[in-house]
Amino acid sequence: MSSSTFRGLNPTMLEIELRRVLRNKRTAIFTLIMPVVLFEVFGSSQGTSDKVGDGNVTAYILISMAVYGAMLAATAAGASVSLERAAGWSRQLRLTPLAPAAYITAKVLSALVISATSVAVVYLVGTTSKAQMPTSTWFQTALLAWVCSMVFAAFGLFMGYLLPSENVMQALGPGLALMSFAGGLFIPLSQYNDVFRAIAKVTPVYGVGELARYPLVHDGRLAGAIVNVVTWTLVFGIGAAMRFRRDTARV
Amino acid sequence: MATTLTDTAIELSGVTKHYGEVHAVDGIDLTVRRGEILAFLGPNGAGKTTTIDMVLGLSVPTAGTVRVLGSKPEEAVANGLVSAVMQSGGLLKDLTVRETVRLTASFFPRPRPVEEVLARAGLADIGDRLVGKCSGGQQQRLRFAMALVPDPELIILDEPTTGMDVEGRREFWAAIREDAARGRTIVFATHYLDEADAYADRIVLVRRGRVVADGTSAEIKAMATGRQVRATLPGARVPDLQAIPGVESAEVRGDTILLQGRDSDMIARHLLTQTEAFDLEVTSQNLEEAFLALTGDGS
């Protein structure tokens, strides 16, 4: 890698990127408010004080909803390349010294910040709820939900390069909800039959959810979850990189 | 401004660009000297934008070489020596005018101050406005402001006033003209003849990917303007008509004669006093027609 690989990367980029996210009401609702609302709906229903692992069902649901918010946030941050391509902004950037890899890096950094904000908001609301788990588990699960959501930053980038739409999140929002059901984020896998459970384990949301909840439940499916997260990160990352190379090639 | 060792802003030699069977640019040789204001004039599809893309390093020629201020195009762009105002797009609607310039400035190692750039592009009063709320003319001046950020030696404008109203065009060109007075090289593509005429020192006319004329505005006009005198004159013969003073070309269609020449008064006086011609009609070939004559498919 030469010194010019990340040429042009700077804090102003990140600052303005974050301002844009906050300015966009739809993104703010999707990534900051919706996970909280879902947690309030599912997390306060009957039987949530039942014990799960080191904590209770409310804590289990809290982690799942934080994962969901982090996923949405990271996907939205990555998928914003779609809008920027449609607006001709990517082309405009080629008339500046900004290196293409620096642009992608800024997108990943902004995904990290927005996803961290989303997790923080859900967990803050969680502290006022009936959620119970050891203090260290609060931090471990939050950190895992945040870090693992980068699978979806890669997913968002890939989709952003793949789909030409200006409103790519309108398609990806429902898609992520479906993937969350498929991956056992909204409904525990124990409620599924054997066939659906087997399918769930190869879908991209499964690994993130399992990993983030592991410090709470310790249920021994760690290796499968790690393989799942790494594999999907590679699939989406390589897909995004291929589309990105095609997009920035001089023809 | 950064100094370079060359007096040549752009050098195209034998440049072609083919997309399959389509020869968008079909062999252009062109040298643009530093400090020139050059209009790249031609109808839609003449190859103007394709040529500009190659000068900016956005695409590579099929054959030939492009040098910009002595460097490869992409190096000139990365060093802030050349910037461009594109025809459309390239703006994010959810940023303010000032944020757009700030963001652009953040990519360059030695940008001009944001407020100075806004003032020069006539945007000082609307820095906090969202780009999506700006008029077409204001958006175009924002593109110009972004192009000013690196304080480049050369600015390229691709059909910068397309779709602007008269007032927008006037304000836009006022900003450009003020800037050009500082000695920057400016190349603009246009299909508006009056813009080329009013703002360029030199006009390069392109048609079907080739240069068909190259000179000052006056030289280009002299190449193609003129008037046509039409009259009825039974039995006229072309050699006799061509002998009439002032006639450059003559045509006979039945009883009708068509005479081309720059001094139509002299031709008309001759026809009315020295011949039996009647039903005389003088029509002027305006600049638009001259342009069409040089760039149209018939030439």
Side-chain angles (χ1 to χ4, degrees):
Chain A
M1 248 181 231
S2 75
S3 62
S4 64
T5 305
F6 296 104
R7 185 183 58 211
L9 188 63
N10 69 83
T12 306
M13 253 182 116
L14 199 60
E15 179 213 312
I16 291 181
E17 187 80 34
L18 295 174
R19 278 171 188 256
R20 288 180 66 208
V21 173
L22 294 175
R23 205 168 280 165
N24 186 329
K25 289 190 188 70
R26 188 181 295 161
T27 315
I29 289 170
F30 257 119
T31 60
L32 301 179
I33 298 175
M34 211 162 82
V36 170
V37 171
L38 287 176
F39 167 65
E40 291 292 349
V41 171
F42 295 121
S44 57
S45 52
Q46 232 179 357
T48 50
S49 50
D50 293 351
K51 202 167 156 42
V52 173
D54 297 341
N56 60 8
V57 171
T58 307
Y60 183 96
I61 293 170
L62 176 75
I63 300 166
S64 297
M65 291 309 136
V67 167
Y68 183 58
M71 259 169 61
L72 280 173
T75 305
S80 64
V81 299
S82 166
L83 186 146
E84 291 172 19
R85 286 171 70 230
W89 179 250
S90 313
R91 186 181 157 88
Q92 181 67 38
L93 290 178
R94 292 173 67 186
L95 300 176
T96 73
L98 183 73
Y103 173 70
I104 296 299
T105 306
K107 289 288 173 205
V108 173
L109 290 175
S110 106
L112 278 169
V113 175
I114 301 162
S115 143
T117 312
S118 176
V119 171
V121 168
V122 174
Y123 268 58
L124 267 177
V125 172
T127 58
T128 67
S129 74
K130 286 180 278 181
Q132 280 172 0
M133 52 186 155
T135 309
S136 62
T137 310
W138 282 85
F139 286 101
Q140 286 163 4
T141 53
L143 190 70
L144 282 167
W146 175 51
V147 172
C148 291
S149 72
M150 288 307 104
V151 180
F152 290 92
F155 172 70
L157 281 169
F158 185 27
M159 292 300 126
Y161 278 111
L162 205 60
L163 307 172
S165 159
E166 276 207 31
N167 291 314
V168 64
M169 274 311 281
Q170 277 177 351
L172 294 185
L176 287 174
L178 279 177
M179 282 158 75
S180 298
F181 278 110
L185 193 67
F186 290 160
I187 301 168
L189 285 186
S190 53
Q191 311 276 315
Y192 290 25
N193 68 32
D194 290 347
V195 176
F196 277 110
R197 200 176 305 134
I199 294 172
K201 287 183 179 176
V202 296
T203 65
V205 175
Y206 168 79
V208 180
E210 286 292 298
L211 268 185
R213 288 185 305 242
Y214 187 79
L216 176 73
V217 298
H218 309 287
D219 69 352
R221 283 175 291 197
L222 195 55
I226 291 174
V227 170
N228 179 293
V229 168
V230 171
T231 307
W232 282 110
T233 305
L234 284 175
V235 168
F236 295 143
I238 290 169
M242 280 167 62
R243 297 298 304 194
F244 165 77
R245 287 178 88 91
R246 217 169 99 165
D247 201 54
T248 55
R250 290 174 213 279
V251 290
Chain B
M1 286 185 205
T3 51
T4 52
L5 297 170
T6 172
D7 282 335
T8 304
I10 302 175
E11 188 153 30
L12 302 176
S13 32
V15 172
T16 64
K17 181 70 183 178
H18 299 172
Y19 296 101
E21 294 296 299
V22 181
H23 296 191
V25 172
D26 203 15
I28 287 187
D29 294 283
L30 181 68
T31 303
V32 181
R33 289 173 295 277
R34 283 177 62 184
E36 267 185 333
I37 301 180
L38 181 139
F40 212 45
L41 181 65
N44 291 327
K48 303 189 297 289
T49 298
T50 308
T51 307
I52 284 175
D53 281 356
M54 289 188 283
V55 170
L56 294 172
L58 293 173
S59 68
V60 290
T62 308
T65 57
V66 180
R67 303 289 288 175
V68 179
L69 293 152
S71 322
K72 286 185 193 163
E74 54 269 35
E75 285 168 11
V77 166
N79 291 326
L81 294 174
V82 54
S83 61
V85 177
M86 300 313 242
Q87 204 175 134
S88 61
L91 296 174
L92 295 174
K93 289 186 183 129
D94 54 347
L95 291 186
T96 66
V97 167
R98 182 177 287 102
E99 282 169 346
T100 306
V101 175
R102 264 187 70 208
L103 185 56
T104 305
S106 77
F107 304 138
F108 288 93
R110 284 173 302 279
R112 299 301 307 164
V114 170
E115 296 305 322
E116 175 198 304
V117 167
L118 288 173
R120 274 213 237 164
L123 295 169
D125 298 338
I126 56 163
D128 295 325
R129 188 171 297 179
L130 282 177
V131 172
K133 298 227 153 69
C134 289
S135 72
Q138 288 166 341
Q139 292 191 355
Q140 200 57 337
R141 275 184 281 144
L142 175 56
R143 292 189 187 94
F144 177 54
M146 291 158 78
L148 288 176
V149 162
D151 199 10
E153 295 273 342
L154 166 66
I155 291 186
I156 295 179
L157 305 106
D158 188 8
E159 310 228 356
T161 60
T162 301
M164 268 190 215
D165 59 18
V166 176
E167 179 69 3
R169 281 175 73 182
R170 200 187 55 76
E171 285 178 15
F172 182 76
W173 282 110
I176 300 280
R177 198 154 43 171
E178 197 180 318
D179 187 70
R182 297 161 198 258
R184 215 188 297 277
T185 312
I186 292 183
V187 171
F188 64 96
T190 183
H191 58 255
Y192 293 122
L193 199 76
D194 57 331
E195 277 186 358
D197 187 25
Y199 304 109
D201 307 329
R202 179 179 165 199
I203 298 175
V204 170
L205 229 69
V206 287
R207 171 183 166 259
R208 291 183 168 190
R210 289 171 174 274
V211 173
V212 291
D214 181 350
T216 64
S217 171
E219 284 166 348
I220 299 282
K221 277 189 233 172
M223 281 174 78
T225 55
R227 287 188 175 150
Q228 186 179 62
V229 180
R230 183 189 177 111
T232 306
L233 181 61
R237 291 181 9 200
V238 171
D240 296 339
L241 296 174
Q242 277 172 337
I244 296 171
V247 170
E248 282 157 13
S249 69
E251 198 184 322
V252 175
R253 289 185 196 158
D255 285 349
T256 303
I257 59 168
L258 298 161
L259 307 176
Q260 313 276 349
R262 229 156 289 162
D263 193 344
S264 57
D265 292 343
M266 189 156 68
I267 298 168
R269 189 173 298 118
H270 181 93
L271 287 176
L272 291 171
T273 57
Q274 312 289 320
T275 73
E276 302 298 316
F278 58 99
D279 269 354
L280 201 84
E281 225 177 81
V282 180
T283 49
S284 72
Q285 211 183 358
N286 63 21
L287 287 175
E288 295 294 336
E289 284 164 7
F291 167 56
L292 287 174
L294 282 168
T295 60
D297 280 348
S299 70

Short mmCIF file of all heavy atoms in Angstrom, two decimals, chain A residues 167-216:
data_model
loop_
_atom_site.label_atom_id
_atom_site.label_comp_id
_atom_site.label_asym_id
_atom_site.label_seq_id
_atom_site.Cartn_x
_atom_site.Cartn_y
_atom_site.Cartn_z
N ASN A 167 -32.99 5.75 -3.32
CA ASN A 167 -33.57 5.41 -2.02
C ASN A 167 -33.34 3.95 -1.69
O ASN A 167 -34.25 3.20 -1.40
CB ASN A 167 -35.07 5.71 -2.02
CG ASN A 167 -35.31 7.19 -2.05
OD1 ASN A 167 -34.70 7.94 -1.31
ND2 ASN A 167 -36.21 7.61 -2.92
N VAL A 168 -32.08 3.56 -1.71
CA VAL A 168 -31.74 2.16 -1.55
C VAL A 168 -32.19 1.64 -0.19
O VAL A 168 -32.56 0.49 -0.04
CB VAL A 168 -30.23 1.95 -1.82
CG1 VAL A 168 -29.38 2.67 -0.82
CG2 VAL A 168 -29.88 0.49 -1.88
N MET A 169 -32.22 2.54 0.83
CA MET A 169 -32.62 2.09 2.17
C MET A 169 -34.10 1.68 2.23
O MET A 169 -34.49 0.91 3.09
CB MET A 169 -32.33 3.17 3.22
CG MET A 169 -30.92 3.13 3.78
SD MET A 169 -30.36 1.48 4.32
CE MET A 169 -31.19 1.33 5.91
N GLN A 170 -34.90 2.21 1.30
CA GLN A 170 -36.31 1.80 1.28
C GLN A 170 -36.44 0.32 0.96
O GLN A 170 -37.36 -0.33 1.40
CB GLN A 170 -37.09 2.64 0.27
CG GLN A 170 -37.51 3.96 0.86
CD GLN A 170 -38.21 4.85 -0.13
OE1 GLN A 170 -38.27 4.56 -1.32
NE2 GLN A 170 -38.74 5.95 0.36
N ALA A 171 -35.50 -0.18 0.17
CA ALA A 171 -35.50 -1.61 -0.15
C ALA A 171 -34.78 -2.39 0.95
O ALA A 171 -35.19 -3.48 1.31
CB ALA A 171 -34.81 -1.84 -1.49
N LEU A 172 -33.71 -1.80 1.48
CA LEU A 172 -32.89 -2.54 2.44
C LEU A 172 -33.53 -2.62 3.82
O LEU A 172 -33.32 -3.60 4.54
CB LEU A 172 -31.50 -1.89 2.56
CG LEU A 172 -30.64 -1.97 1.29
CD1 LEU A 172 -29.25 -1.41 1.56
CD2 LEU A 172 -30.52 -3.41 0.79
N GLY A 173 -34.35 -1.62 4.20
CA GLY A 173 -35.00 -1.62 5.52
C GLY A 173 -35.84 -2.88 5.72
O GLY A 173 -35.56 -3.68 6.64
N PRO A 174 -36.84 -3.12 4.85
CA PRO A 174 -37.64 -4.35 4.97
C PRO A 174 -36.77 -5.59 4.81
O PRO A 174 -37.00 -6.61 5.48
CB PRO A 174 -38.64 -4.24 3.81
CG PRO A 174 -38.70 -2.78 3.49
CD PRO A 174 -37.35 -2.22 3.81
N GLY A 175 -35.76 -5.53 3.95
CA GLY A 175 -34.85 -6.65 3.74
C GLY A 175 -34.15 -7.03 5.04
O GLY A 175 -34.04 -8.20 5.39
N LEU A 176 -33.69 -6.02 5.77
CA LEU A 176 -33.00 -6.28 7.04
C LEU A 176 -33.96 -6.86 8.08
O LEU A 176 -33.56 -7.71 8.88
CB LEU A 176 -32.38 -4.99 7.57
CG LEU A 176 -31.14 -4.49 6.82
CD1 LEU A 176 -30.72 -3.13 7.36
CD2 LEU A 176 -29.99 -5.48 6.95
N ALA A 177 -35.23 -6.39 8.05
CA ALA A 177 -36.21 -6.94 8.99
C ALA A 177 -36.43 -8.43 8.72
O ALA A 177 -36.43 -9.25 9.63
CB ALA A 177 -37.52 -6.17 8.88
N LEU A 178 -36.56 -8.76 7.43
CA LEU A 178 -36.73 -10.17 7.05
C LEU A 178 -35.52 -11.00 7.47
O LEU A 178 -35.65 -12.10 8.01
CB LEU A 178 -36.92 -10.29 5.53
CG LEU A 178 -38.31 -10.01 5.00
CD1 LEU A 178 -38.32 -10.09 3.47
CD2 LEU A 178 -39.30 -11.04 5.59
N MET A 179 -34.33 -10.46 7.20
CA MET A 179 -33.10 -11.16 7.57
C MET A 179 -33.01 -11.35 9.09
O MET A 179 -32.46 -12.34 9.57
CB MET A 179 -31.87 -10.39 7.06
CG MET A 179 -31.62 -10.58 5.57
SD MET A 179 -30.62 -9.24 4.87
CE MET A 179 -29.01 -9.66 5.47
N SER A 180 -33.57 -10.38 9.83
CA SER A 180 -33.55 -10.48 11.29
C SER A 180 -34.45 -11.61 11.78
O SER A 180 -34.11 -12.33 12.71
CB SER A 180 -33.97 -9.15 11.92
OG SER A 180 -33.06 -8.15 11.55
N PHE A 181 -35.61 -11.75 11.12
CA PHE A 181 -36.48 -12.88 11.46
C PHE A 181 -35.78 -14.17 11.07
O PHE A 181 -35.72 -15.13 11.84
CB PHE A 181 -37.83 -12.78 10.73
CG PHE A 181 -38.80 -11.87 11.42
CD1 PHE A 181 -39.15 -10.64 10.87
CD2 PHE A 181 -39.36 -12.25 12.64
CE1 PHE A 181 -40.06 -9.80 11.52
CE2 PHE A 181 -40.26 -11.41 13.30
CZ PHE A 181 -40.61 -10.19 12.74
N ALA A 182 -35.21 -14.20 9.86
CA ALA A 182 -34.56 -15.40 9.36
C ALA A 182 -33.38 -15.81 10.24
O ALA A 182 -33.11 -17.00 10.42
CB ALA A 182 -34.09 -15.19 7.92
N GLY A 183 -32.69 -14.82 10.80
CA GLY A 183 -31.49 -15.12 11.58
C GLY A 183 -31.74 -15.29 13.06
O GLY A 183 -30.79 -15.40 13.84
N GLY A 184 -33.01 -15.27 13.47
CA GLY A 184 -33.33 -15.53 14.86
C GLY A 184 -33.07 -14.35 15.79
O GLY A 184 -32.82 -14.53 16.98
N LEU A 185 -33.12 -13.13 15.24
CA LEU A 185 -32.87 -11.96 16.09
C LEU A 185 -34.16 -11.52 16.80
O LEU A 185 -34.11 -11.05 17.93
CB LEU A 185 -32.32 -10.81 15.24
CG LEU A 185 -31.72 -9.63 16.01
CD1 LEU A 185 -30.46 -10.06 16.75
CD2 LEU A 185 -31.40 -8.47 15.07
N PHE A 186 -35.29 -11.64 16.11
CA PHE A 186 -36.56 -11.20 16.69
C PHE A 186 -37.26 -12.34 17.45
O PHE A 186 -38.00 -12.10 18.38
CB PHE A 186 -37.50 -10.66 15.60
CG PHE A 186 -37.06 -9.35 15.02
CD1 PHE A 186 -37.51 -8.92 13.78
CD2 PHE A 186 -36.20 -8.51 15.72
CE1 PHE A 186 -37.12 -7.70 13.25
CE2 PHE A 186 -35.80 -7.28 15.21
CZ PHE A 186 -36.26 -6.88 13.96
N ILE A 187 -37.04 -13.55 16.97
CA ILE A 187 -37.65 -14.72 17.62
C ILE A 187 -36.52 -15.72 17.89
O ILE A 187 -35.75 -16.01 16.98
CB ILE A 187 -38.71 -15.38 16.68
CG1 ILE A 187 -39.80 -14.36 16.33
CG2 ILE A 187 -39.30 -16.61 17.35
CD1 ILE A 187 -40.71 -14.82 15.22
N PRO A 188 -36.41 -16.21 19.13
CA PRO A 188 -35.31 -17.15 19.43
C PRO A 188 -35.38 -18.38 18.53
O PRO A 188 -36.47 -18.87 18.22
CB PRO A 188 -35.55 -17.51 20.90
CG PRO A 188 -36.39 -16.42 21.44
CD PRO A 188 -37.22 -15.91 20.31
N LEU A 189 -34.21 -18.88 18.12
CA LEU A 189 -34.15 -20.03 17.22
C LEU A 189 -34.83 -21.26 17.79
O LEU A 189 -35.27 -22.13 17.05
CB LEU A 189 -32.70 -20.36 16.87
CG LEU A 189 -32.01 -19.41 15.89
CD1 LEU A 189 -30.63 -19.96 15.56
CD2 LEU A 189 -32.85 -19.27 14.63
N SER A 190 -34.91 -21.32 19.15
CA SER A 190 -35.53 -22.49 19.79
C SER A 190 -37.01 -22.60 19.42
O SER A 190 -37.60 -23.67 19.54
CB SER A 190 -35.36 -22.39 21.31
OG SER A 190 -35.84 -21.14 21.77
N GLN A 191 -37.59 -21.52 18.96
CA GLN A 191 -39.00 -21.54 18.57
C GLN A 191 -39.19 -22.06 17.13
O GLN A 191 -40.31 -22.25 16.69
CB GLN A 191 -39.58 -20.11 18.60
CG GLN A 191 -39.29 -19.33 19.87
CD GLN A 191 -40.28 -19.64 20.95
OE1 GLN A 191 -41.47 -19.69 20.71
NE2 GLN A 191 -39.79 -19.87 22.16
N TYR A 192 -38.08 -22.21 16.39
CA TYR A 192 -38.17 -22.63 14.99
C TYR A 192 -38.13 -24.14 14.89
O TYR A 192 -37.58 -24.81 15.75
CB TYR A 192 -36.99 -22.05 14.18
CG TYR A 192 -37.01 -20.55 13.95
CD1 TYR A 192 -37.69 -19.69 14.81
CD2 TYR A 192 -36.33 -20.00 12.87
CE1 TYR A 192 -37.68 -18.33 14.61
CE2 TYR A 192 -36.32 -18.63 12.66
CZ TYR A 192 -36.99 -17.81 13.53
OH TYR A 192 -36.98 -16.47 13.33
N ASN A 193 -38.64 -24.71 13.77
CA ASN A 193 -38.47 -26.14 13.56
C ASN A 193 -37.07 -26.41 13.01
O ASN A 193 -36.33 -25.47 12.69
CB ASN A 193 -39.57 -26.72 12.66
CG ASN A 193 -39.49 -26.21 11.22
OD1 ASN A 193 -38.39 -25.93 10.72
ND2 ASN A 193 -40.63 -26.09 10.58
N ASP A 194 -36.71 -27.68 12.89
CA ASP A 194 -35.32 -28.03 12.56
C ASP A 194 -34.85 -27.46 11.23
O ASP A 194 -33.72 -27.01 11.10
CB ASP A 194 -35.17 -29.56 12.55
CG ASP A 194 -35.27 -30.14 13.95
OD1 ASP A 194 -35.19 -29.34 14.92
OD2 ASP A 194 -35.44 -31.37 14.08
N VAL A 195 -35.76 -27.49 10.23
CA VAL A 195 -35.38 -27.00 8.90
C VAL A 195 -35.08 -25.50 8.95
O VAL A 195 -34.03 -25.05 8.48
CB VAL A 195 -36.51 -27.28 7.87
CG1 VAL A 195 -36.15 -26.68 6.51
CG2 VAL A 195 -36.76 -28.77 7.75
N PHE A 196 -36.00 -24.75 9.55
CA PHE A 196 -35.78 -23.30 9.60
C PHE A 196 -34.56 -22.94 10.46
O PHE A 196 -33.84 -22.00 10.14
CB PHE A 196 -37.04 -22.60 10.15
CG PHE A 196 -38.07 -22.36 9.09
CD1 PHE A 196 -39.27 -23.07 9.07
CD2 PHE A 196 -37.83 -21.43 8.07
CE1 PHE A 196 -40.21 -22.87 8.07
CE2 PHE A 196 -38.77 -21.22 7.08
CZ PHE A 196 -39.96 -21.93 7.08
N ARG A 197 -34.33 -23.74 11.49
CA ARG A 197 -33.17 -23.46 12.34
C ARG A 197 -31.88 -23.68 11.56
O ARG A 197 -30.93 -22.89 11.66
CB ARG A 197 -33.20 -24.36 13.59
CG ARG A 197 -32.34 -23.80 14.72
CD ARG A 197 -32.44 -24.63 15.99
NE ARG A 197 -33.83 -24.77 16.41
CZ ARG A 197 -34.39 -25.93 16.78
NH1 ARG A 197 -33.68 -27.05 16.78
NH2 ARG A 197 -35.65 -25.98 17.15
N ALA A 198 -31.86 -24.73 10.74
CA ALA A 198 -30.66 -25.01 9.93
C ALA A 198 -30.43 -23.87 8.92
O ALA A 198 -29.29 -23.43 8.70
CB ALA A 198 -30.84 -26.34 9.20
N ILE A 199 -31.53 -23.40 8.32
CA ILE A 199 -31.40 -22.29 7.36
C ILE A 199 -30.93 -21.03 8.08
O ILE A 199 -30.03 -20.32 7.62
CB ILE A 199 -32.76 -22.04 6.66
CG1 ILE A 199 -33.14 -23.24 5.80
CG2 ILE A 199 -32.70 -20.77 5.79
CD1 ILE A 199 -34.54 -23.19 5.22
N ALA A 200 -31.53 -20.77 9.25
CA ALA A 200 -31.20 -19.56 10.00
C ALA A 200 -29.71 -19.44 10.25
O ALA A 200 -29.13 -18.34 10.16
CB ALA A 200 -31.96 -19.56 11.33
N LYS A 201 -29.06 -20.58 10.50
CA LYS A 201 -27.64 -20.54 10.89
C LYS A 201 -26.70 -20.11 9.78
O LYS A 201 -25.54 -19.80 10.04
CB LYS A 201 -27.23 -21.92 11.45
CG LYS A 201 -27.85 -22.14 12.83
CD LYS A 201 -27.40 -23.44 13.43
CE LYS A 201 -28.03 -23.58 14.83
NZ LYS A 201 -27.73 -24.85 15.45
N VAL A 202 -27.18 -20.13 8.54
CA VAL A 202 -26.30 -19.66 7.45
C VAL A 202 -26.68 -18.25 6.99
O VAL A 202 -26.07 -17.73 6.06
CB VAL A 202 -26.28 -20.64 6.25
CG1 VAL A 202 -25.70 -21.98 6.68
CG2 VAL A 202 -27.66 -20.80 5.65
N THR A 203 -27.68 -17.63 7.60
CA THR A 203 -28.04 -16.26 7.20
C THR A 203 -27.17 -15.24 7.95
O THR A 203 -26.67 -15.53 9.04
CB THR A 203 -29.53 -15.97 7.45
OG1 THR A 203 -29.76 -16.00 8.86
CG2 THR A 203 -30.42 -16.96 6.73
N PRO A 204 -26.99 -14.04 7.37
CA PRO A 204 -25.99 -13.10 7.92
C PRO A 204 -26.32 -12.52 9.30
O PRO A 204 -25.40 -12.14 10.01
CB PRO A 204 -25.93 -11.99 6.88
CG PRO A 204 -26.94 -12.27 5.85
CD PRO A 204 -27.56 -13.59 6.10
N VAL A 205 -27.60 -12.47 9.69
CA VAL A 205 -27.89 -11.85 10.98
C VAL A 205 -27.61 -12.82 12.14
O VAL A 205 -27.30 -12.40 13.25
CB VAL A 205 -29.36 -11.35 11.01
CG1 VAL A 205 -29.73 -10.81 12.38
CG2 VAL A 205 -29.57 -10.27 9.96
N TYR A 206 -27.67 -14.12 11.83
CA TYR A 206 -27.51 -15.13 12.88
C TYR A 206 -26.21 -14.93 13.68
O TYR A 206 -26.23 -14.87 14.91
CB TYR A 206 -27.53 -16.53 12.24
CG TYR A 206 -27.08 -17.63 13.17
CD1 TYR A 206 -27.95 -18.14 14.13
CD2 TYR A 206 -25.79 -18.14 13.09
CE1 TYR A 206 -27.52 -19.13 14.99
CE2 TYR A 206 -25.36 -19.14 13.96
CZ TYR A 206 -26.22 -19.64 14.91
OH TYR A 206 -25.80 -20.60 15.77
N GLY A 207 -25.09 -14.82 12.98
CA GLY A 207 -23.80 -14.77 13.66
C GLY A 207 -23.67 -13.56 14.57
O GLY A 207 -23.20 -13.66 15.71
N VAL A 208 -24.11 -12.41 14.06
CA VAL A 208 -24.01 -11.17 14.83
C VAL A 208 -24.82 -11.28 16.12
O VAL A 208 -24.34 -10.95 17.21
CB VAL A 208 -24.49 -9.96 13.98
CG1 VAL A 208 -24.39 -8.68 14.78
CG2 VAL A 208 -23.69 -9.86 12.70
N GLY A 209 -26.06 -11.78 16.00
CA GLY A 209 -26.93 -11.91 17.17
C GLY A 209 -26.35 -12.88 18.19
O GLY A 209 -26.28 -12.60 19.39
N GLU A 210 -25.91 -14.04 17.69
CA GLU A 210 -25.36 -15.06 18.60
C GLU A 210 -24.14 -14.53 19.34
O GLU A 210 -23.99 -14.72 20.54
CB GLU A 210 -24.96 -16.30 17.80
CG GLU A 210 -26.13 -17.15 17.34
CD GLU A 210 -26.85 -17.85 18.50
OE1 GLU A 210 -26.22 -18.65 19.19
OE2 GLU A 210 -28.04 -17.53 18.69
N LEU A 211 -23.25 -13.86 18.59
CA LEU A 211 -22.01 -13.35 19.20
C LEU A 211 -22.31 -12.29 20.24
O LEU A 211 -21.75 -12.29 21.34
CB LEU A 211 -21.10 -12.75 18.12
CG LEU A 211 -20.07 -13.67 17.48
CD1 LEU A 211 -19.19 -12.88 16.52
CD2 LEU A 211 -19.21 -14.32 18.56
N ALA A 212 -23.21 -11.34 19.89
CA ALA A 212 -23.49 -10.25 20.80
C ALA A 212 -24.13 -10.76 22.10
O ALA A 212 -23.89 -10.22 23.17
CB ALA A 212 -24.41 -9.23 20.13
N ARG A 213 -24.94 -11.83 22.00
CA ARG A 213 -25.63 -12.34 23.19
C ARG A 213 -24.80 -13.35 23.97
O ARG A 213 -25.15 -13.75 25.07
CB ARG A 213 -26.97 -12.97 22.78
CG ARG A 213 -28.02 -11.95 22.37
CD ARG A 213 -29.35 -12.63 22.09
NE ARG A 213 -29.20 -13.69 21.10
CZ ARG A 213 -29.81 -13.68 19.90
NH1 ARG A 213 -30.61 -12.71 19.57
NH2 ARG A 213 -29.63 -14.69 19.07
N TYR A 214 -23.66 -13.76 23.38
CA TYR A 214 -22.87 -14.82 24.00
C TYR A 214 -22.46 -14.50 25.45
O TYR A 214 -22.59 -15.37 26.33
CB TYR A 214 -21.64 -15.16 23.15
CG TYR A 214 -20.89 -16.35 23.68
CD1 TYR A 214 -21.34 -17.64 23.43
CD2 TYR A 214 -19.75 -16.18 24.48
CE1 TYR A 214 -20.68 -18.74 23.93
CE2 TYR A 214 -19.08 -17.28 25.00
CZ TYR A 214 -19.56 -18.56 24.73
OH TYR A 214 -18.91 -19.64 25.25
N PRO A 215 -21.99 -13.29 25.76
CA PRO A 215 -21.61 -12.99 27.14
C PRO A 215 -22.76 -13.15 28.12
O PRO A 215 -22.54 -13.35 29.30
CB PRO A 215 -21.15 -11.53 27.08
CG PRO A 215 -20.76 -11.31 25.66
CD PRO A 215 -21.72 -12.16 24.86
N LEU A 216 -24.00 -13.07 27.61
CA LEU A 216 -25.17 -13.25 28.49
C LEU A 216 -25.55 -14.72 28.62
O LEU A 216 -25.76 -15.21 29.73
CB LEU A 216 -26.36 -12.46 27.93
CG LEU A 216 -27.68 -12.61 28.70
CD1 LEU A 216 -27.62 -11.87 30.02
CD2 LEU A 216 -28.86 -12.11 27.86
#
